Amino acid sequence: MTPSPPSHGTLRLPAPWGWLQIDWQQHTIIASELHPGPPLALPEAEPSTPFAAQIWQQWQGYLSDPHHPITLPLHHHGTPYQQRVWQLLRTIPPGQTRSYGDLAAHLASSPRAIGNACRANPLPWLIPCHRITARHHLGGYHGASSGPQLAIKRWLLEHEGALPTSD
């Protein structure tokens, strides 16, 4: 009897800023984390399951073309308000940004509440909270207003064409 493929797993994918970790269960993404630092040295190996291969292909597609559609199924827990914010974030196309105030006005909320929902986002990159900026600057990213997390946000926005590239 052939063993069935695992129903859950973790992928660590090399990224220009370090690595992206994706956790999945039952063919659904349940968490992602953007890790700053030197890129991982990963062995040249095929992903272990068809779903892991699909994640890998979509990540490589995004790195080649930020407009590459991401069609991975997502599952995330959050309050009803957070779910509304995250759904709205998914409507912002690559290469565009919105301000915390823009989203707050759309949801009859406050910019601070939008920022808190972005900070609680369990699926960064997939739910693109990096596309939310302050009116006149980048704003924060996952609770950081400087440092490696903000550098990741800048890289994602530059990659998508929403910011001029830094020299």
Side-chain angles (χ1 to χ4, degrees):
M1 179 173 216
T2 321
S4 60
S7 62
H8 64 281
T10 296
L11 284 177
R12 289 179 185 88
L13 307 170
W17 65 79
W19 72 93
L20 169 67
Q21 179 171 310
I22 301 282
D23 297 318
W24 55 274
Q25 189 170 35
Q26 302 295 334
H27 297 91
T28 303
I29 306 268
I30 58 171
S32 68
E33 296 176 22
L34 309 174
H35 293 275
L40 290 178
L42 297 174
E44 295 293 325
E46 292 294 318
S48 61
T49 69
F51 187 65
Q54 183 182 2
I55 295 168
W56 174 261
Q57 289 166 348
Q58 290 197 23
W59 174 240
Q60 293 303 308
Y62 173 80
L63 290 176
S64 296
D65 174 8
H67 295 278
H68 179 85
I70 305 301
T71 59
L72 297 164
L74 309 177
H75 180 75
H76 39 80
H77 296 286
T79 67
Y81 176 78
Q82 290 170 334
Q83 296 285 347
R84 287 183 18 231
V85 171
W86 300 337
Q87 186 61 37
L88 188 56
L89 293 174
R90 294 191 69 202
T91 67
I92 304 168
Q96 294 184 26
T97 62
R98 303 288 184 275
S99 73
Y100 295 99
D102 293 338
L103 265 64
H106 186 84
L107 294 175
S109 183
S110 75
R112 186 174 304 256
I114 297 295
N116 287 337
C118 288
R119 183 178 302 134
N121 176 5
L123 299 169
W125 171 61
L126 296 158
I127 298 176
C129 55
H130 62 276
R131 296 181 190 147
I132 306 306
T133 63
R135 191 140 331 261
H136 300 293
H137 58 87
L138 280 182
Y141 197 51
H142 287 276
S145 57
S146 64
Q149 289 299 326
L150 203 59
I152 292 172
K153 179 177 185 171
R154 178 175 293 284
W155 186 93
L156 290 166
L157 291 173
E158 287 175 353
H159 177 63
E160 293 179 0
L163 291 178
T165 57
S166 45
D167 296 326

